[in-house]
Amino acid sequence: MSKESKDVLYGLFDDEQILLNAVDRANDSHLDIMDVYTPFPVHGLDPKLGLAESRLHIAGFVYGAIGTLTAFLFMTWVFTRDWPIIFGGKPYWSVPAFIPITFELTVLFASIGMVVSFYTVCGMAPGITNPTLDDRITDDKFCIAFDVTGADEAAKDKLKDFFSQSGASEVNMKTI
Amino acid sequence: MNQFTFESRYRNVLIGFMALGLLCLGITFAIDDELHTRFWTNYLHNSVFFTGIAFMALFILAAFTTAWAGWHTLIKRIWEAYSLFLVPGLVLMLVVIAGVWGHFHHLYHWADAGEVAKDPILQGKSSFLNPTWYTLGTLIIVGIWILFAWKMRQLSVDEDVNGTPEFKHHHRLRIWAAAFLPIAGFSSAAIIWQWVMSVDAHWYSTLYAWYTGASWFVSAIALTILTIIFLKGQGYLENVTAEHLHDLGKYLFAFSIFWTYLWFSQFMLIWYANVGEETVYFFERRENYPVLFYGNLIINFIAPFFVLMRNDTKRKYGTMVFISIVVFFGHWWDFFQMIKPGARHTAMEALAHHGAHEGAGHAAETTGHALEFAMGFTIPGLLELGTMLGFLAFFLFVVFNRLSRASLVPKNDPYLQESLHHHVEIHGDEGH
């Protein structure tokens, strides 16, 4: 993640179907899309952008498994080695009694691990503000953005033509 | 193809399996002990299991209709057909009722007046656990279910002809569906107490109805998946895609875990409290039926949990067929372990009384040391499997017969378009 500022040319679309068609058109004319921003997940967009499936859930499984082992092995150690206590006449190593806590720690590790991973991968943390191109992309606008840092006017004109042909409702420049 | 035809080749295969089931029941009856315990437990087990699946199909329809769900519209005719098995299901249970009155079987400890007379616990429960209530409960509750199943089917089929794009017609279906939900909740619990839990008449658990209901639910979903994949293989339901299968897979996954949660909650509270009257249920199963007891958890929790956890396994037909068969069999197994140990215990006590003068009192020794292995009780035998296939064929015979009576696609359902365009996988392609 470079700290240098980028010049971004972006177009806003009113509808997801127009956006999907525009992405197809950009792919056909070999335009290099920097990113696409949508207010909600758009079905079928990921394959068009060539995005691989997220591996977050694999990480989630691993975190969950770590949570399971942590809880189970820790309780096993505590109740058989470190501080054995008899509760209600049960054996020291009472597996059924461990299950609820094992479950809770599995969920806790998986959820916290996934949140932290997700934030790290996205470069988000408390106190960090990421610039948005336009606030309306979190509301009702769909945006295709091109990185035009150092590009000449002809290239920019080509992109503007693309936007006007593919039905963008607005085209703007922003340095982020 | 929108119209299912119940061709004679399906018919012949199903009749063949029904004959196999009857043959197995007959052999079981012939080689059985003098009380025909194995025969009657098999009969009760399968009757309850398949009637419950029919009830759960109706419950699923009612819940989805009430919740404004749209994705299932393309497959709702299958559940409607399932729910109409309640009529033969009631007939199956009437045979058990006849047995209670005529003392043909010793499934229920409480049905034996001689036993009740010297048993204060059974006397305390006798205002609910008696032949009259067993009969009335079954007739009234299953009767109400049949009424709702018939009415909801009628409204749905009527919609094909008289439906409107507005919700005017559909609204009537919604009213019946919503009215059914509370009835289903309370009545299914009561019927489960009578049909299944009272096999262990001394014992009770407040979680039992939920746990058993979850077992029915998972079986109903698994059988639905198998039916859909079969029908698709025959060229029907061409608009039902991996997207619908994916959602059914989520239900199978989620409710397998729900079932495990209830199973474990029931087990852990009883284990922790350690009250003898309650622990006897699990003690009996763990000591004398360990294959049933542990196998139950492996088939119904471990297998679906790991197979269905990943996103893509729920979209693969082969995997779904495999896990649906495993889970369907697993919940049949679950009902097996609910019914067999208690009924066997009751029968052994009865046999011991019968045979006391012949010196055969050893059968009553049920605690302290392990029971003898008995095929058809300790584990399901081939006769049980054959009986199950026979009942399954009977179930499917009724279902296919009902399916052929109406269009497979509900033509004027206001949610039809939603179901046709159902799309759950964010990474999938837009087109199907």
Side-chain angles (χ1 to χ4, degrees):
Chain A
M1 274 168 274
S2 64
K3 291 277 171 196
E4 295 141 39
S5 63
K6 281 184 201 165
D7 294 330
V8 177
L9 181 73
Y10 66 94
L12 296 178
F13 298 83
D14 293 335
D15 185 85
E16 58 183 292
Q17 199 52 51
I18 308 175
L19 173 90
L20 285 169
N21 294 339
V23 172
D24 277 340
R25 184 189 281 263
N27 286 339
D28 290 344
S29 17
H30 304 290
L31 298 177
D32 189 13
I33 295 176
M34 182 183 94
D35 213 341
V36 173
Y37 303 92
T38 58
F40 53 81
V42 174
H43 285 265
L45 183 59
D46 289 25
K48 288 189 204 298
L49 293 174
L51 298 177
E53 193 181 329
S54 164
R55 282 167 299 172
L56 190 62
H57 54 271
I58 299 172
F61 180 79
V62 174
Y63 296 136
I66 293 172
T68 309
L69 289 174
T70 307
F72 198 82
L73 296 178
F74 181 71
M75 280 184 288
T76 301
W77 175 73
V78 168
F79 290 113
T80 59
R81 297 269 176 277
D82 184 49
W83 204 266
I85 297 178
I86 293 175
F87 289 102
K90 300 283 188 292
Y92 292 135
W93 197 58
S94 290
V95 175
F98 295 175
I99 300 289
I101 295 162
T102 306
F103 166 77
E104 298 296 348
L105 248 69
T106 306
V107 175
L108 185 75
F109 273 53
S111 53
I112 290 183
M114 280 165 86
V115 167
V116 170
S117 300
F118 178 74
Y119 270 56
T120 311
V121 169
C122 297
M124 296 197 292
I128 296 181
T129 19
N130 287 305
T132 49
L133 288 171
D134 192 305
D135 286 346
R136 286 172 296 166
I137 61 177
T138 64
D139 180 16
D140 63 342
K141 296 287 183 195
F142 302 80
C143 166
I144 297 179
F146 293 101
D147 186 357
V148 291
T149 316
D152 55 15
E153 282 307 313
K156 287 181 194 170
D157 284 343
K158 192 182 165 197
L159 293 174
K160 282 176 186 164
D161 281 348
F162 156 75
F163 279 129
S164 67
Q165 280 163 21
S166 53
S169 57
E170 242 177 80
V171 183
N172 296 314
M173 276 284 288
K174 191 164 179 178
T175 305
I176 54 171
Chain B
M1 287 185 280
N2 283 350
Q3 183 62 48
F4 177 76
T5 30
F6 193 12
E7 292 165 32
S8 56
R9 58 194 174 105
Y10 305 145
R11 218 180 269 269
N12 292 340
V13 170
L14 290 177
I15 288 174
F17 274 104
M18 278 149 74
L20 173 74
L22 273 179
L23 182 70
C24 286
L25 275 176
I27 295 173
T28 317
F29 194 83
I31 64 167
D32 220 342
D33 62 44
E34 55 193 282
L35 296 177
H36 300 293
T37 316
R38 189 173 173 186
F39 168 84
W40 279 106
T41 44
N42 286 352
Y43 182 85
L44 177 73
H45 170 208
N46 288 291
S47 302
V48 165
F49 184 63
F50 286 100
T51 311
I53 290 177
F55 160 73
M56 271 301 161
L58 182 61
F59 174 75
I60 290 169
L61 269 181
F64 285 5
T65 309
T66 309
W68 308 88
W71 68 273
H72 72 289
T73 303
L74 282 169
I75 54 176
K76 79 173 199 175
R77 284 283 143 86
I78 293 174
W79 285 327
E80 285 170 10
Y82 277 19
S83 71
L84 294 168
F85 183 77
L86 282 170
V87 180
L90 180 60
V91 176
L92 291 175
M93 289 313 295
L94 284 177
V95 176
V96 178
I97 289 172
V100 169
W101 287 101
H103 299 289
F104 306 145
H105 58 65
H106 279 73
L107 288 171
Y108 299 111
H109 197 187
W110 50 261
D112 188 333
E115 287 290 316
V116 176
K118 52 189 176 179
D119 192 329
I121 297 177
L122 290 184
Q123 283 163 17
K125 295 184 178 189
S126 61
S127 52
F128 180 66
L129 292 183
N130 58 54
T132 311
W133 261 117
Y134 190 85
T135 312
L136 281 180
T138 305
L139 284 176
I140 293 171
I141 290 173
V142 183
I144 292 172
W145 293 353
I146 290 173
L147 171 71
F148 275 89
W150 172 78
K151 188 68 194 174
M152 282 176 66
R153 165 74 169 191
Q154 191 209 35
L155 283 171
S156 171
V157 173
D158 184 49
E159 202 169 47
D160 281 357
V161 187
N162 299 320
T164 52
E166 306 90 59
F167 281 78
K168 221 170 158 185
H169 191 286
H170 200 72
H171 189 66
R172 281 160 60 207
L173 193 59
R174 287 177 53 74
I175 290 172
W176 280 85
F180 183 64
L181 289 180
I183 295 172
F186 289 107
S187 64
S188 63
I191 210 84
I192 287 166
W193 297 331
Q194 288 190 324
W195 287 355
V196 195
M197 197 168 84
S198 76
V199 167
D200 290 89
H202 276 190
W203 182 83
Y204 70 94
S205 156
T206 44
L207 255 172
Y208 195 85
W210 278 78
Y211 149 71
T212 310
S215 212
W216 275 345
F217 191 100
V218 179
S219 322
I221 295 285
L223 195 58
T224 309
I225 293 169
L226 292 172
T227 311
I228 288 172
I229 292 177
F230 169 74
L231 288 175
K232 272 191 82 68
Q234 300 295 311
Y236 299 103
L237 297 174
E238 60 266 44
N239 291 317
V240 177
T241 62
E243 309 293 335
H244 302 89
L245 199 64
H246 193 161
D247 272 356
L248 286 167
K250 288 179 197 165
Y251 271 98
L252 195 66
F253 180 62
F255 278 83
S256 288
I257 293 171
F258 179 67
W259 173 87
T260 315
Y261 165 70
L262 294 174
W263 183 92
F264 182 72
S265 301
Q266 178 176 279
F267 173 79
M268 195 187 72
L269 290 177
I270 289 173
W271 171 83
Y272 224 131
N274 208 8
V275 179
E277 289 86 354
E278 295 173 351
T279 50
V280 63
Y281 182 84
F282 287 111
F283 185 81
E284 169 93 354
R285 278 157 182 76
R286 205 184 60 184
E287 299 304 313
N288 295 327
Y289 304 89
V291 181
L292 290 184
F293 183 78
Y294 294 107
N296 197 8
L297 283 176
I298 294 167
I299 311 175
N300 291 327
F301 173 59
I302 309 282
F305 183 71
F306 285 105
V307 172
L308 289 171
M309 186 190 284
R310 275 189 62 91
N311 214 13
D312 50 1
T313 50
K314 302 185 203 65
R315 305 173 68 84
K316 288 180 185 147
Y317 288 88
T319 320
M320 287 300 276
V321 168
F322 166 74
I323 198 66
S324 298
I325 290 174
V326 168
V327 167
F328 182 79
F329 174 73
H331 285 279
W332 178 81
W333 176 290
D334 186 26
F335 273 87
F336 185 89
Q337 71 79 44
M338 289 179 208
I339 288 170
K340 290 279 178 169
R344 187 188 183 193
H345 189 104
T346 307
M348 286 172 97
E349 284 190 348
L351 277 176
H353 288 301
H354 282 247
H357 49 91
E358 292 159 28
H362 69 279
E365 297 168 20
T366 48
T367 47
H369 43 85
L371 276 176
E372 283 169 42
F373 176 88
M375 186 54 91
F377 290 95
T378 316
I379 55 164
L382 287 176
L383 289 172
E384 276 70 28
L385 279 180
T387 309
M388 185 259 264
L389 290 175
F391 271 85
L392 178 62
F394 179 39
F395 183 85
L396 290 177
F397 192 91
V398 174
V399 167
F400 285 163
N401 185 24
R402 291 291 144 185
L403 270 185
S404 67
R405 303 286 180 87
S407 163
L408 269 184
V409 178
K411 289 174 203 136
N412 286 321
D413 192 299
Y415 292 100
L416 180 61
Q417 285 303 320
E418 185 176 333
S419 192
L420 284 169
H421 297 101
H422 185 55
H423 199 253
V424 284
E425 171 65 318
I426 198 84
H427 286 275
D429 278 323
E430 181 74 356
H432 298 299

